[in-house]
Amino acid sequence: MATYLLKRILLIIPTLFGIMLISFAVIQFAPGGPIERVIAQISGTDVSATARIGGSQSDGVGPSQSQAGQAEIAPKYRGAQGLDPEFIKQLEKQYGFDKPAHERFFLMMKNYLLFDFGKSYFRDVSVLQLIKEKLPVSISLGIWMLLITYLISIPLGIRKAVHDGERFDTWTSSLLVVGYAIPGFLVAVFLLVVFAGGSFVQWFPLRGLTSDNWNELSLIGTVIDYFWHLTLPIIAMALGAFTTMTFLTRNSFLDEIRKQYVLTAQAKGLAQAQVLYGHVFRNAMLLIIAGFPGAFIHAFFSGSLLIETIFNLDGIGLLSFESVINRDYPVVFASIYILALLGLALNLISDFIYTLIDPRIDFETREV
């Protein structure tokens, strides 16, 4: 196992390098860039990403100084006519566009290996500081959504497998399919209108992760306030996730239940609980564990964008979206780098969990 893990750890380096190289190459062909954004700001034609989706302006008032190696695209300056060419050259030097693309890329990777992501172009704050500020929201949404989803979906899926074809299986499947068909953002809007003072009652807060007087509350009060703010966003995010996880658990257990070793165990007189949790569980759960890294990444980053916007929760999802639209490339590439590194690490952790659930799995004998 140790040899396999060493190989996997060493494989992370070229994999991460390849992900960043492909992302860098794609950006080279994307229209626009930070310099065009500055030109648009000067000409008064710029509209920030936040204004498009939420009605507010960007955090900063202009571009900040950035370290060399953090500019990832050399844009074609449409709309630069009439501006002093010397001014354009100064902007290129400020953002690092005065260097060749390959030099910018390798300098960027050198800095990223040291977790030096530099400063945001338009917020005048370090990228790491920005991410740290947004992490509490994304961690809260992602971890609690996954925890609730797994705690409900796995027992429900097991019961559906045991009662396959019966009334319980049928009506729960119908409810899950209906819940999956409704987009999460529509559920979020419905919850706001009904339960957050839209047209009916105001049982839950309209926005934010904590109340304004959170620091003045007692320990129990802060916990209650925290979950009070999280209730509606978590419900909106997790509703569709229940369906996928429940059916995956159900089908995985059904596949194992129909195998010969289960019939043999039942013939020996073992109780249903002993068969399910002593024999079937560790085999059926392998597929569930295999999907955990992807589910975690989805919930932690991309899955929360619309929910963060609707409930005015300033997290990683909203930050990444705004950075892409605003061409804030240090933030964009830092998000890709951290996301890829986290995904690779979670896949490695999944292999550890595999061996804990089923000791018969031997990664030493398989090719990486």
Side-chain angles (χ1 to χ4, degrees), residues 281-286 289 350-361:
F281 184 82
R282 68 180 184 181
N283 296 325
M285 285 299 295
L286 290 177
I289 295 171
S350 293
D351 288 347
F352 271 116
I353 301 176
Y354 278 153
T355 59
L356 292 177
I357 292 180
D358 191 347
R360 296 172 299 174
I361 295 178

Side-chain angles (χ1 to χ4, degrees), residues 120-194:
S120 165
Y121 284 161
F122 302 105
R123 298 174 189 252
D124 198 24
V125 65
S126 70
V127 175
L128 277 180
Q129 183 62 35
L130 268 177
I131 293 176
K132 288 179 182 179
E133 292 174 358
K134 314 301 181 184
L135 271 180
V137 171
S138 295
I139 289 176
S140 297
L141 293 176
I143 289 182
W144 285 113
M145 193 206 80
L146 280 180
L147 182 62
I148 293 173
T149 300
Y150 273 70
L151 288 177
I152 294 177
S153 297
I154 292 177
L156 179 59
I158 294 174
R159 187 174 180 186
K160 285 173 64 63
V162 172
H163 298 280
D164 179 42
E166 298 180 9
R167 176 178 292 182
F168 174 80
D169 182 38
T170 302
W171 70 261
T172 53
S173 295
S174 301
L175 289 177
L176 288 170
V177 170
V178 171
Y180 184 76
I182 302 175
F185 71 90
L186 286 182
V187 176
V189 172
F190 172 79
L191 293 174
L192 281 178
V193 171
V194 176

Side-chain angles (χ1 to χ4, degrees), residues 248-267:
L248 179 61
T249 304
R250 173 187 178 274
N251 295 335
S252 181
F253 270 79
L254 271 180
D255 184 58
E256 291 295 323
I257 288 173
R258 293 167 179 169
K259 290 184 177 179
Q260 186 62 42
Y261 75 89
V262 176
L263 298 177
T264 302
Q266 291 172 339

Side-chain angles (χ1 to χ4, degrees), residues 42-358:
I42 294 173
S43 62
T45 60
D46 176 63
V47 178
S48 68
T50 310
R52 297 176 189 179
I53 59 177
S56 62
Q57 293 298 320
S58 179
D59 295 345
V61 294
S64 64
Q65 292 291 334
S66 60
Q67 297 179 356
Q70 292 171 328
E72 282 76 32
I73 181 173
K76 293 178 172 55
Y77 309 124
R78 301 184 304 269
Q81 293 84 358
L83 294 178
D84 186 357
E86 188 63 30
F87 173 72
I88 300 298
K89 289 182 179 180
Q90 290 177 359
L91 286 178
E92 291 177 347
K93 185 176 181 179
Q94 176 178 324
Y95 289 116
F97 294 134
D98 57 330
K99 297 179 175 62
H102 68 278
E103 185 177 340
R104 298 199 308 270
F105 174 75
F106 283 108
L107 188 55
M108 179 188 74
M109 290 304 300
K110 177 184 176 181
N111 292 333
Y112 281 16
L113 288 175
L114 301 175
F115 288 91
D116 178 11
F117 303 110
K119 283 188 174 182
S120 165
Y121 284 161
F122 302 105
R123 298 174 189 252
D124 198 24
V125 65
S126 70
V127 175
L128 277 180
Q129 183 62 35
L130 268 177
I131 293 176
K132 288 179 182 179
E133 292 174 358
K134 314 301 181 184
L135 271 180
V137 171
S138 295
I139 289 176
S140 297
L141 293 176
I143 289 182
W144 285 113
M145 193 206 80
L146 280 180
L147 182 62
I148 293 173
T149 300
Y150 273 70
L151 288 177
I152 294 177
S153 297
I154 292 177
L156 179 59
I158 294 174
R159 187 174 180 186
K160 285 173 64 63
V162 172
H163 298 280
D164 179 42
E166 298 180 9
R167 176 178 292 182
F168 174 80
D169 182 38
T170 302
W171 70 261
T172 53
S173 295
S174 301
L175 289 177
L176 288 170
V177 170
V178 171
Y180 184 76
I182 302 175
F185 71 90
L186 286 182
V187 176
V189 172
F190 172 79
L191 293 174
L192 281 178
V193 171
V194 176
F195 298 108
S199 300
F200 298 90
V201 297
Q202 191 169 4
W203 293 347
F204 296 95
L206 183 62
R207 62 184 62 193
L209 193 61
T210 57
S211 299
D212 294 336
N213 64 335
W214 193 79
N215 292 326
E216 303 173 2
L217 300 175
S218 63
L219 178 60
I220 297 178
T222 57
V223 173
I224 294 174
D225 183 77
Y226 172 74
F227 285 106
W228 183 47
H229 283 77
L230 274 180
T231 300
L232 297 187
I234 293 299
I235 292 175
M237 289 181 65
L239 190 61
F242 287 143
T243 303
T244 303
M245 185 57 60
T246 300
F247 278 110
L248 179 61
T249 304
R250 173 187 178 274
N251 295 335
S252 181
F253 270 79
L254 271 180
D255 184 58
E256 291 295 323
I257 288 173
R258 293 167 179 169
K259 290 184 177 179
Q260 186 62 42
Y261 75 89
V262 176
L263 298 177
T264 302
Q266 291 172 339
K268 289 181 179 180
L270 293 179
Q272 184 183 65
Q274 290 179 299
V275 175
L276 281 176
Y277 298 102
H279 297 274
V280 175
F281 184 82
R282 68 180 184 181
N283 296 325
M285 285 299 295
L286 290 177
L287 282 177
I288 312 300
I289 295 171
F292 176 79
F296 181 84
I297 295 296
H298 177 76
F300 198 80
F301 290 94
S302 59
S304 61
L305 170 59
L306 289 176
I307 303 301
E308 289 179 10
T309 303
I310 293 171
F311 289 99
N312 198 21
L313 300 172
D314 197 6
I316 296 293
L318 186 58
L319 172 66
S320 300
F321 173 77
E322 290 180 353
S323 301
V324 170
I325 299 299
N326 293 330
R327 303 300 191 264
D328 198 348
Y329 291 123
V331 180
V332 173
F333 275 77
S335 300
I336 294 174
Y337 183 85
I338 295 174
L339 178 64
L341 186 60
L342 184 61
L344 293 170
L346 285 174
N347 278 316
L348 193 60
I349 294 173
S350 293
D351 288 347
F352 271 116
I353 301 176
Y354 278 153
T355 59
L356 292 177
I357 292 180
D358 191 347

